[in-house]
Amino acid sequence: MRRIYLPQDAAAEALGAEDVLRALRAEAGLRGIALELVRTGTRGAVWLEPLLEVETPEGRIGYGPVEASDVASLFEAGFLQGGAHPLRIGRPEEHPWFAGQTRLTFARCGIVDPLSLEDYRTHGGFAGLEKALAMSGEAIVDEVKLSGLRGRGGAGFPTGIKWNTVRLAQADRKYVVCNADEGDSGTFADRMLMEGDPFCLIEGMTIAGIAVGATKGFIYTRSEYPHAVRTMRAAILAARRAGWLGENVAGSGRAFDLEVRVGAGAYICGEETSLLNSLEGKRGVVRAKPPLPAIEGLFGKPTVVNNVLSLAAVPWIMEHGAKAYAEFGTGRSLGTLAVQIAGNVRRGGLVELPFGLPLRAVIEEWGGGTATGRPFRAVQVGGPLGAYFPEALLDTPMDYEAFARVGGLLGHGGVTVFDDSVDLAQQARFAFEFCAAESCGKCTPCRIGAVRGMEVVDRITAGVQPAKNRVLLDDLLELMTDGSLCAMGGLTPVPVGSALKHFPEDFDAARRAMPQAAE
């Protein structure tokens, strides 16, 4: 019986994986062939999905992107034995798109059955937790500090320092909260990991709990991620039944348990204090800081709040050591970054690479340039609040400090590409529009400033007193940056300001009125 692997994550399903599955079963039935079908997560090459793999004596051989109409020809070509076919890519790990990556956090995605504890253990799962259980909380935190791990949610705050603050806090109860409310446009790394390797996140959160003295954890995600929610809940149940969660984690006498909470998809709940309010059953509104969540977080107790990728990096660090992790990356940006390539690009997907790779390489080598074939014009890194970079900035290394020096932010690692048909004035207006729609409304600079921003941009592009309104816009951007309570309003000026700086011609009313400007 031949074993076939087919992803069942949201990306693969959106591209027809279920149709391929039905076609496989039907064709195998007609031919009297017994198949063992294993549903995996995606390996991250969305441009190759659905990626069908077959187990052969030479290893797994991949075919993609497969459509249901291709299945009969695959059987005719002998794909069950790894036969030649136009869709054959060979061993995925030898394909240049995969071979050039440094897979640490995403090493198992697309390879294992996400809900198989046996698969997880076979591929190194729980080795980091087993080491952590033999260590003190202080020793675990020191290891995370030495690794240089920083928050992958956008701020880049050192993870070990945050953990140590919670560890040292005096309280009768502490919590670990995973921010899986992945709302940035062009990002999908959190979803991909939860759907493809959920035990990795469970292991990372359990290590965090053991390190800081927390016995309860919550994974807060969004209602738009039903596949991830279903997979995470099933994995938590399996881990609890196997003794990896609960009152006696792996027989250690230490307690830690998890549950998934689903939000309503508000972008602002990606901000940690708004997320905590939502978890408590309150409206998702930003809290003033201090106090920091590490001191007074969920239900007023010391709380670790980390992104999915921050927590999922911890098992590798604990298994292989802080020094091994810190050998990747550059400067103060150590380890690997999950780069999510989206927008107008030929090869969209996720690549995991050490910090420091030039942005140009991500777009041209990994992304393959624009999907339309038209010239590149702009790229936005860091979600809807990230800066728009022109071609002149494409040699910027992908690390926190390098991006900050040129007025950008790395954020969650999302890279959205635009060709020369993009209107950056409209993109700037959209930043204000997005902020107005997603603001929690608590502070005036964000709530009112975003609406006024749309109006001012409209006046500039219409040619209404452009010089006067440009001065007004600059003043508004400064006010939002300095006066907003959180990054929602505080960072909205970043995409607007970068569009004004690097693409001023798009705001010129006379040029916009020319016929070629609308082409």
Side-chain angles (χ1 to χ4, degrees):
M1 182 182 295
R2 284 293 185 190
R3 180 176 293 171
I4 292 178
Y5 300 85
L6 181 67
Q8 63 177 353
D9 82 316
E13 285 199 16
L15 292 166
E18 296 307 304
D19 292 337
V20 172
L21 176 66
R22 285 189 286 270
L24 279 169
R25 286 173 171 163
E27 191 68 27
L30 288 173
R31 296 170 181 267
I33 298 173
L35 300 178
E36 179 186 353
L37 286 161
V38 179
R39 306 305 302 274
T40 66
T42 178
R43 286 183 184 258
V46 179
W47 59 284
L48 279 175
E49 293 293 359
L51 176 60
L52 183 65
E53 298 179 48
V54 59
E55 194 172 83
T56 74
E58 292 74 38
R60 283 160 64 163
I61 303 298
Y63 297 82
V66 176
E67 297 181 7
S69 58
D70 298 317
V71 170
S73 67
L74 285 169
F75 275 94
E76 289 295 330
F79 89 107
L80 292 177
Q81 291 76 42
H85 188 277
L87 297 178
R88 188 183 191 274
I89 68 165
R91 288 165 55 90
E93 58 269 25
E94 295 174 356
H95 188 282
W97 203 85
F98 297 106
Q101 297 187 44
T102 303
R103 287 287 180 107
L104 307 184
T105 304
F106 287 87
R108 285 176 290 264
C109 274
I111 295 175
V112 300
D113 176 345
L115 295 177
S116 169
L117 279 166
E118 181 182 355
D119 269 11
Y120 187 66
R121 291 285 279 161
T122 299
H123 290 84
F126 293 121
L129 175 56
E130 287 174 331
K131 285 190 176 182
L133 289 170
M135 299 164 65
S136 68
E138 182 179 11
I140 297 170
V141 170
D142 285 346
E143 196 73 6
V144 174
K145 282 183 183 178
L146 288 169
S147 73
L149 179 65
R150 296 168 67 177
R152 297 293 189 261
F157 188 81
T159 302
I161 292 177
K162 181 182 289 188
W163 285 20
N164 202 44
T165 304
V166 177
R167 184 184 72 83
L168 294 174
Q170 299 299 310
D172 59 347
R173 185 151 203 191
K174 300 177 184 180
Y175 296 98
V176 176
V177 172
C178 174
N179 183 348
D181 194 59
E182 188 172 49
D184 284 351
S185 50
T187 59
F188 45 89
D190 294 356
R191 177 192 59 74
M192 181 176 148
L193 188 123
M194 288 190 289
E195 293 176 2
D197 192 13
F199 294 118
C200 181
L201 178 56
I202 291 170
E203 183 178 359
M205 292 187 71
T206 305
I207 293 170
I210 299 300
V212 305
T215 57
K216 180 71 174 183
F218 294 92
I219 299 169
Y220 183 95
T221 190
R222 51 186 39 236
S223 57
E224 294 93 333
Y225 279 2
H227 299 77
V229 171
R230 185 168 57 245
T231 303
M232 282 306 317
R233 284 178 170 160
I236 288 170
L237 182 60
R240 190 180 296 129
R241 286 174 173 168
W244 293 106
L245 288 173
E247 294 297 320
N248 186 21
V249 174
S252 67
R254 305 196 201 184
F256 187 77
D257 211 346
L258 278 173
E259 65 178 272
V260 176
R261 293 284 181 89
V262 181
Y267 183 78
I268 195 62
C269 286
E271 193 279 333
E272 61 180 4
T273 64
S274 183
L275 183 156
L276 294 175
N277 274 340
S278 180
L279 262 179
E280 292 176 4
K282 302 171 184 174
R283 184 166 173 255
V285 174
V286 174
R287 300 177 184 176
K289 293 185 283 189
L292 296 170
I295 304 298
E296 290 184 27
L298 187 63
F299 304 117
K301 304 297 183 182
T303 305
V304 168
V305 184
N306 278 136
N307 174 262
V308 170
L309 302 187
S310 308
L311 292 161
V314 171
W316 196 97
I317 292 169
M318 297 307 300
E319 179 184 0
H320 299 278
K323 184 179 178 181
Y325 190 78
E327 286 175 354
F328 298 100
T330 179
R332 291 179 52 227
S333 300
L334 302 179
T336 57
L337 174 68
V339 182
Q340 298 128 92
I341 311 170
N344 193 330
V345 67
R346 287 182 57 224
R347 295 197 289 267
L350 179 144
V351 293
E352 185 178 355
L353 302 162
F355 282 96
L357 182 81
L359 181 56
R360 184 185 303 278
V362 171
I363 298 169
E364 296 178 357
E365 296 174 22
W366 297 96
T370 64
T372 57
R374 295 178 64 120
F376 164 89
R377 183 151 191 248
V379 60
Q380 186 179 38
V381 181
L385 305 183
Y388 290 101
F389 281 2
E391 198 277 338
L393 290 179
L394 291 190
D395 293 319
T396 304
M398 293 198 73
D399 70 68
Y400 294 107
E401 285 67 43
F403 264 64
R405 283 193 294 270
V406 292
L409 58 126
L410 205 51
H412 192 40
V415 175
T416 305
V417 180
F418 300 86
D419 70 13
D420 64 349
S421 65
V422 68
D423 182 338
L424 271 302
Q426 285 303 306
Q427 292 298 119
R429 187 189 190 280
F430 171 73
F432 281 127
E433 183 181 2
F434 181 81
C435 181
E438 297 293 345
S439 172
C440 75
K442 186 166 185 176
C443 71
T444 304
C446 178
R447 182 182 69 249
I448 304 300
V451 178
R452 297 291 85 86
M454 284 191 288
E455 297 169 354
V456 177
V457 170
D458 285 343
R459 290 200 292 270
I460 292 172
T461 55
V464 178
Q465 298 181 298
K468 180 180 178 180
N469 278 298
R470 175 60 194 270
V471 172
L472 180 61
L473 182 57
D474 288 343
D475 184 61
L476 176 62
L477 296 179
E478 182 180 356
L479 173 67
M480 292 183 70
T481 300
D482 296 340
S484 296
L485 190 58
C486 81
M488 180 79 244
L491 291 180
T492 294
V494 172
V496 179
S498 63
L500 286 163
K501 178 180 179 180
H502 301 301
F503 308 94
E505 63 275 16
D506 285 19
F507 294 83
D508 187 316
R511 179 183 176 277
R512 295 177 66 83
M514 297 171 64
Q516 62 265 31
E519 290 180 0

